[in-house]
Amino acid sequence: MFRVDLHLHTVFSSDSTISPKLVVEQLYKHASVKGVAITDHNTLDGYFQVNKLANVYEDVVVLPGIEVGTEKGDIILLGVEEKPKTPTTLDSVIDFAKTTDGVIVIPHPYRSLGIGDLAMNVEAHAVEVLNPTATSEENIMAQNLARTRKLPGVAGTDAHHPEELWTTFTEIDTQPDRESVLNTLKKGAVKAFAVHSSKMTKLEGGKFHSRN
Ligand SMILES: [Zn+2]
């Protein structure tokens, strides 16, 4: 099982205080979470920085990612190394992901900046069912959505500050390399999500497993 945080912001997002260096250093030292998707707001610059710094560490995996703001709410794309063209509408971002073979994740569907009920129909590979910046109710609604749509539920910290790092992660049954992780996400073979923050464990349930 490979543990990865699929939602993280660096200082390349204007509202984050997390440096690329800190991400790499903490990921390298972390006992169990060894992967991260850098999902800055509307830019891949943070990903490129983190990826460059991580090159010298063999056992950390950095996934390209971007959280794109659309007129309907946010969408996360993983596995693409270019930005969708502006203006970024929900439809144009989904089309872009399809042409670039990106993984589409619906982040915090019922939180502010989420796409809300559009999440019922939008084309996606996974739903973010655990985000510490959303309320328990909003996360439970997202879990129900994932079950209804039979999409894998994934977890991300949505960390913007150092103390929020590594509080949540997704467990994926895959080899610890970028291509395997992305391909497994595309196939929906996410076995579980897990958290190790005690305040979040109450959200476990259903088909999801929790390991502390
Ligand atoms: Zn975010």
Side-chain angles (χ1 to χ4, degrees), residues 183-200:
N183 285 332
T184 308
L185 275 168
K186 276 178 201 157
K187 283 186 280 185
V190 178
K191 296 288 185 192
F193 74 83
V195 294
H196 59 185
S197 162
S198 56
K199 67 177 178 169
M200 299 298 298

Side-chain angles (χ1 to χ4, degrees), residues 90-132:
L90 185 56
D91 288 344
S92 73
V93 172
I94 300 299
D95 284 346
F96 172 83
K98 282 154 71 176
T99 57
T100 52
D101 204 23
V103 175
I104 304 164
V105 180
I106 305 170
H108 45 68
Y110 297 105
R111 202 204 68 188
S112 60
L113 297 177
I115 62 170
D117 285 336
L118 292 172
M120 280 303 289
N121 297 305
V122 79
E123 207 164 321
H125 295 92
V127 178
E128 185 181 75
V129 297
L130 186 53
N131 177 318

